[in-house]
Amino acid sequence: MNNDGGRGSPCVYVAPDRLSLRDAAPSHARRALLAAAQEMSSRGLDNGANWALDLASCLRGGGEDDDNDDDGVPTSSFTAFSPPSDRHAPFDWQTSTPARSHHDANNTTTMAEGDASVASTSGAQHIYPMQSTPFLGIQAPSSSSFRQDLSSPQPARVAAAANGNSLNLNLGPQANPKDAITPPSNSPAAAATPLADNSLSGRFPPPFRQPPSPLSNLSYSADEGDERPRRRGGVGIGNARGGFHPGAAAAARGDRSTSHPLSISHSHNDGDDSQDDTLSTKGNDDESMAEDAATDTGEDSRSAHVRFASEGKDSSLGADSDYRFNPAAASTSRSPHHGPSSTHEATVYSYALSCFRLGQMERCKWQLDKLRARAGGSRKESDRVVFLRGYVGMLVSRNRH
Amino acid sequence: MRRKRQSSLLTTEFPAETSFLAQILERRAASDTVFALSSSRSTPSHTRALIPLLKDGLIDPSDPFCLLLKGILLRKLHKRIEAMDCFMRSIALMPYNWTTWLELNAVIESSAGEMDEILPLLPQSFMTLLFLEHHHRQSAATKDPQANTDRLQVLLDLFPENAGLWNSLAMQRYLQRGGFERARCAEPQDCR
């Protein structure tokens, strides 16, 4: 064994195998392992991702001994594989494969679109799209009953009540995730909507046609129900429930350039899930929706899409609620001057979350406890670490007793 | 089924004194039929199920995960060399997938010296070192435990808090304890 360099020198020559290690720098190894773990996790290889995270969490000095040692890392000798040197760059080296198009690889919101399409095909296709109106350019479903629902919501509600299935009333965005990419309310397409189409909606009286999209008003009642003070920040709740989608996380991080409306539609879906409960308990919500529309005239210049995009930017809850394993976000969203302990915390948290997903509750709890012991109370932990530790602790205690 | 039908015809055509032979034949035919059914239910259908998977987008993959999948399928089809090729291509593209290394370890015949042949083709990564340590510890741990200890020292310098590496090091040192036994047998006076 011969270490050619000192600490931080990436090239280690191993005598038994005459092997020179080009990725022996801890920061280099950490980034490569985290990126690989993300790729594996995104492909369902949870064991492999867990293994990589385990290795990354055990790196010397937390894997972040020197942020500038990237310059000292020689480029990888293998041509096909080159770990990302720019931590702000997307992981093109992994995702740009012939199997996946470049656009799909770079656009995180496309993943949300895929999730939405999966959600729409998983059983929500036969659900009455409440938001789909001619304003948004939604085509009427082929089902004759859906056409009846589109033409007049009130008979649809009666029909659903007769069937005893309240789910048929809502979950419109799940049924058609492309709602979010339809022209917004102030678009020329929406402005050119004839009044005859307004009559097709049949939901709102003329004074409440602004915004012309009833989706916004419905989403208000869907997201928050009767809790009016929470309306302005209600998208945070939606993100809290829909935080598993990377698109929503991107919106929550405030990256407007990457905030795709489709990622917002997921939050919308979750809001509509709460709408399920509302509609199942309420007998007739037309009046409440009319009241919602009347009270929302102060901010009715925003459509549902714009509202979610802007509030997703301001929402910090959405960022905290992004519990989906995303080590790339942990490494790319932080500035170079970010403290090393927080990066280590993100790494350990990712590993603990991976253990949690694999059902290794004890190990997850141990990792989080070790993280707290390492912090020693000198630095405040993030909310997600505190929550996960408490949640895992609850599950472990419940399993023991 | 055809043989069973033939044996049934045999029992009806032959007289009663030959019924014992007919019963034996029928029983044998029945067992053959069961064997044929069971074999057709396992291997051929399994092969038939795997081949479309290979044809479906895995003919010439360039994605490391697709290569891994193709290698696994080829290994199940007993195409060891082809599977090894897929695993090594996948490792060249994505060396940090430990699953691929384990699959590669499963198709390597260490007795034939294949490890020495493929070693120059492996990436210059600590993953290769991990793989070598794993392979030698699993296959031929008693041959050269000191080399594996050296590998583990290098890895522990990079991953000092990895419990698995420490376990491996303890195992290697336990195996090296056999050297004391040999020294004691050779010269008991020096080992006091």
Side-chain angles (χ1 to χ4, degrees):
Chain A
M1 176 180 61
N2 180 21
N3 194 340
D4 291 334
R7 182 177 178 271
S9 176
C11 189
V12 177
Y13 181 74
V14 184
D17 309 306
R18 301 176 299 278
L19 185 68
S20 60
L21 308 181
R22 302 300 182 95
D23 55 354
S27 61
H28 189 282
R30 184 185 65 84
R31 278 200 307 277
L33 285 169
L34 290 182
Q38 185 196 20
E39 283 297 308
M40 287 184 276
S41 179
S42 65
R43 284 170 170 82
L45 300 172
D46 284 341
N47 277 321
N50 188 40
W51 190 91
L53 287 173
D54 184 10
L55 214 58
S57 66
C58 299
L59 274 168
R60 180 182 64 208
E64 48 205 343
D65 49 349
D66 187 7
D67 283 341
N68 297 324
D69 62 355
D70 295 342
D71 301 333
V73 175
T75 56
S76 178
S77 59
F78 22 94
T79 56
F81 173 72
S82 61
S85 59
D86 185 9
R87 61 184 60 191
H88 297 284
F91 295 92
D92 294 341
W93 54 279
Q94 294 165 326
T95 55
S96 296
T97 62
R100 300 175 62 186
S101 64
H102 189 73
H103 175 72
D104 292 343
N106 291 333
N107 194 359
T108 56
T109 57
T110 311
M111 297 173 65
E113 181 180 1
D115 294 341
S117 62
V118 169
S120 65
T121 56
S122 62
Q125 287 180 346
H126 306 289
I127 299 174
Y128 166 63
M130 181 170 271
Q131 283 86 359
S132 59
T133 65
F135 298 111
L136 297 177
I138 300 301
Q139 300 297 322
S142 57
S143 172
S144 58
S145 62
F146 284 1
R147 287 173 186 169
Q148 184 185 3
D149 295 346
L150 274 176
S151 60
S152 176
Q154 182 64 31
R157 189 169 288 107
V158 172
N163 292 332
N165 186 7
S166 62
L167 288 178
N168 286 334
L169 287 170
N170 42 34
L171 297 179
Q174 290 180 358
N176 195 347
K178 293 182 180 179
D179 290 0
I181 59 174
T182 51
S185 60
N186 54 358
S187 67
T193 305
L195 291 177
D197 290 340
N198 296 350
S199 63
L200 282 179
S201 174
R203 189 175 297 275
F204 298 105
F208 306 122
R209 284 177 191 165
Q210 296 297 331
S213 167
L215 177 62
S216 60
N217 298 324
L218 285 178
S219 65
Y220 285 157
S221 62
D223 285 338
E224 291 86 16
D226 293 332
E227 299 181 24
R228 305 294 171 86
R230 294 167 58 189
R231 280 178 184 168
R232 272 61 178 172
V235 69
I237 301 168
N239 279 341
R241 301 180 59 188
F244 295 94
H245 305 287
R253 284 196 301 268
D255 190 1
R256 187 180 286 271
S257 61
T258 59
S259 300
H260 196 276
L262 206 49
S263 66
I264 297 159
S265 67
H266 280 280
S267 304
H268 215 75
N269 293 342
D270 294 328
D272 287 333
D273 289 339
S274 63
Q275 191 182 11
D276 288 346
D277 304 332
T278 305
L279 291 179
S280 60
T281 53
K282 289 181 179 178
N284 185 6
D285 55 346
D286 274 352
E287 294 180 358
S288 63
M289 283 191 293
E291 289 175 1
D292 291 339
T295 54
D296 290 335
T297 52
E299 58 176 9
D300 56 1
S301 60
R302 298 182 299 173
S303 71
H305 317 293
V306 177
R307 165 180 165 265
F308 274 88
S310 59
E311 295 183 5
K313 179 184 178 182
D314 298 335
S315 174
S316 60
L317 181 59
D320 289 336
S321 62
D322 184 19
Y323 288 117
R324 179 181 176 86
F325 166 60
N326 191 7
S331 61
T332 57
S333 62
R334 299 182 186 280
S335 64
H337 304 289
H338 205 80
S341 57
S342 60
T343 310
H344 178 67
E345 176 186 299
T347 304
V348 174
Y349 174 78
S350 299
Y351 174 52
L353 184 60
S354 178
C355 293
F356 176 77
R357 290 172 64 182
L358 292 174
Q360 301 173 355
M361 303 297 177
E362 296 280 355
R363 182 171 292 178
C364 174
K365 187 174 182 298
W366 163 248
Q367 290 293 328
L368 294 174
D369 288 337
K370 193 171 68 173
L371 183 65
R372 179 173 56 181
R374 174 172 173 154
S378 61
R379 195 178 53 82
K380 187 178 183 301
E381 292 178 311
S382 63
D383 292 337
R384 58 181 188 176
V385 174
V386 174
F387 169 76
L388 185 61
R389 183 169 52 232
Y391 187 49
V392 170
M394 183 192 71
L395 293 177
V396 168
S397 62
R398 192 181 66 178
N399 292 334
R400 283 177 179 172
H401 298 92
Chain B
M1 294 298 294
R2 189 173 55 188
R3 295 181 64 176
K4 188 175 182 179
R5 198 179 304 119
Q6 286 176 354
S7 61
S8 301
L9 291 174
L10 195 67
T11 54
T12 54
E13 288 175 357
F14 281 79
E17 53 267 21
T18 59
S19 62
F20 179 69
L21 179 62
Q23 286 177 2
I24 291 176
L25 288 175
E26 188 171 7
R27 201 177 304 143
R28 186 173 178 179
S31 62
D32 290 346
T33 305
V34 169
F35 176 75
L37 285 175
S38 62
S39 60
S40 64
R41 199 177 301 146
S42 61
T43 307
S45 62
H46 185 62
T47 307
R48 282 195 299 270
L50 291 181
I51 290 174
L53 292 176
L54 279 173
K55 291 181 179 177
D56 187 16
L58 294 178
I59 295 176
D60 188 17
S62 57
D63 182 60
F65 297 97
C66 293
L67 282 167
L68 169 63
L69 177 61
K70 184 178 181 180
I72 291 173
L73 293 175
L74 288 172
R75 188 167 75 89
K76 291 182 181 298
L77 292 170
H78 306 289
K79 304 287 186 184
R80 192 179 65 88
I81 302 299
E82 290 86 348
M84 189 188 304
D85 177 64
C86 287
F87 292 142
M88 294 193 60
R89 286 167 57 197
S90 175
I91 283 170
L93 293 169
M94 167 68 84
Y96 300 103
N97 188 0
W98 184 240
T99 307
T100 314
W101 292 98
L102 290 179
E103 293 291 336
L104 177 64
N105 187 43
V107 298
I108 286 178
E109 287 186 356
S110 54
S111 60
E114 289 181 349
M115 178 58 79
D116 296 333
E117 293 180 5
I118 68 169
L119 185 56
L121 304 176
L122 297 177
Q124 296 177 347
S125 170
F126 61 85
M127 294 294 292
T128 303
L129 204 59
L130 281 167
F131 168 68
L132 289 172
E133 189 275 328
H134 175 79
H135 176 78
H136 288 293
R137 178 162 44 89
Q138 296 250 327
S139 60
T142 57
K143 286 184 178 178
D144 191 6
Q146 183 57 42
N148 234 18
T149 306
D150 292 343
R151 294 187 190 100
L152 284 167
Q153 293 287 357
V154 174
L155 288 171
L156 282 171
D157 184 55
L158 182 58
F159 305 103
E161 297 180 5
N162 192 282
L165 291 176
W166 282 110
N167 278 332
S168 300
L169 183 63
M171 188 182 297
Q172 290 299 324
R173 287 177 175 166
Y174 176 80
L175 292 172
Q176 284 178 306
R177 197 187 57 171
F180 291 112
E181 300 295 332
R182 252 179 279 168
R184 184 183 302 162
C185 295
E187 193 67 43
Q189 300 293 328
D190 293 341
C191 297
R192 286 180 181 175

